Amino acid sequence: MDITKVLPRDCMSKIVSFTTPRDACRSSAVCSAFKDSADSDETWEAFLPADCHHLVAQSSAPPANLDSLTKKQLYHHLCDHPLLLANNTMSFSLDKESGKKCYMIGARGLWILWSPDLRYWSYASIQESRFPEVAVLDHVWWFEVKGILNTRLLSPKTTYDVFFIFQFGSEILGFTGTFINFSLNKSGAFTSEGQVVLYPPRIGVKEREDGWLEIKVGEFYTDHEEDGDGLLEFRLWEFNDYNEKKGILVEGFEFRPKSHE
């Protein structure tokens, strides 16, 4: 029996909505009988976060043609074009395969040691960045960058990877072979801690499609029922070598659902 000829379209859409965005796209491409249901607003509405339209409305630059987009088009727009939130200090997007929420906290949303003093840090507009400004290290001896994220913003029951997003300028001091400490503290308990080397790029440092470098500094699980205050504190620092440091550009910290590929 061909169920596509027996079940109405809304039932087919409901069935497809219980799969994943990747499966919906595959079924649409593989089986023409599923295409209308797999591409329907009913299906893709289920893949969008419940607060999606609220987040779009809060963005400083929402899609100009939002009302004309289908739910599938809106989904893919949010995957490929992060929205700026919180006075341009945070970005929101969707993971293309799962539809889980992704956030990045930009440099202006972080606490950076000595950043208020322009002798040590400055802020610049970089074409490759999603944010209006990134932090540029002119010179310090003690390096520390940290921030806080409310994990209740993220998708529940999901393992997230945390990445530090950065670049180096033409003149680099104090980072060659230097171990930088990191820690994640979720609701008062450490979930990850260790050390990373940012320069020269080693295993673990990856170049992104947008031209920035990223390195994973930990992971955590969003169990909203057990998250307490829901606050994740993340920190990167180096206080021990007493060498002058300069040349790093900080874009921010990104929180993405763990990839299983």
Side-chain angles (χ1 to χ4, degrees), residues 131-151:
F131 296 103
E133 293 180 311
V134 301
V136 181
L137 175 56
D138 295 317
H139 75 95
V140 296
W141 283 263
W142 289 355
F143 176 76
E144 184 176 17
V145 182
K146 62 183 180 179
I148 296 177
L149 175 74
N150 190 330
T151 61

Side-chain angles (χ1 to χ4, degrees), residues 135-176:
V136 181
L137 175 56
D138 295 317
H139 75 95
V140 296
W141 283 263
W142 289 355
F143 176 76
E144 184 176 17
V145 182
K146 62 183 180 179
I148 296 177
L149 175 74
N150 190 330
T151 61
R152 297 179 186 277
L153 293 173
L154 303 172
S155 299
K157 308 293 183 181
T158 303
T159 299
Y160 274 87
D161 287 332
V162 183
F163 296 91
F164 178 58
I165 314 300
F166 65 101
Q167 282 185 5
F168 281 105
S170 57
E171 186 177 2
I172 306 167
L173 289 178
F175 285 98
T176 302

Side-chain angles (χ1 to χ4, degrees), residues 23-189:
D23 291 334
C25 290
R26 284 175 171 173
S27 63
S28 177
V30 172
C31 179
S32 59
F34 275 100
K35 182 171 176 56
D36 285 346
S37 299
D39 291 345
S40 69
D41 278 354
E42 293 84 354
T43 294
W44 288 89
E45 181 73 34
F47 296 144
L48 291 168
D51 59 349
C52 173
H53 295 284
H54 172 73
L55 292 170
V56 170
Q58 295 298 311
S59 172
S60 58
N65 59 339
L66 175 63
D67 292 337
S68 65
L69 296 179
T70 66
K71 301 300 184 184
K72 182 178 181 179
Q73 289 171 336
L74 176 60
Y75 178 94
H76 286 287
H77 182 91
L78 295 176
C79 292
D80 298 329
H81 301 88
L83 297 177
L84 293 181
L85 305 171
N87 197 28
N88 296 331
T89 63
M90 178 183 291
S91 75
F92 160 77
S93 60
L94 295 179
D95 178 68
K96 184 169 290 187
E97 294 190 2
S98 67
K100 303 281 189 178
K101 296 178 180 179
C102 304
Y103 277 90
M104 182 188 286
I105 298 180
R108 283 292 192 182
L110 301 171
W111 184 91
I112 301 177
L113 182 63
W114 291 325
S115 62
D117 192 326
L118 295 181
R119 291 176 300 174
Y120 303 113
W121 288 87
S122 59
Y123 289 88
S125 176
I126 304 295
Q127 184 177 2
E128 295 82 6
S129 177
R130 69 183 63 183
F131 296 103
E133 293 180 311
V134 301
V136 181
L137 175 56
D138 295 317
H139 75 95
V140 296
W141 283 263
W142 289 355
F143 176 76
E144 184 176 17
V145 182
K146 62 183 180 179
I148 296 177
L149 175 74
N150 190 330
T151 61
R152 297 179 186 277
L153 293 173
L154 303 172
S155 299
K157 308 293 183 181
T158 303
T159 299
Y160 274 87
D161 287 332
V162 183
F163 296 91
F164 178 58
I165 314 300
F166 65 101
Q167 282 185 5
F168 281 105
S170 57
E171 186 177 2
I172 306 167
L173 289 178
F175 285 98
T176 302
T178 300
F179 285 95
I180 308 295
N181 304 292
F182 69 83
S183 67
L184 302 181
N185 186 312
K186 183 164 169 276
S187 300

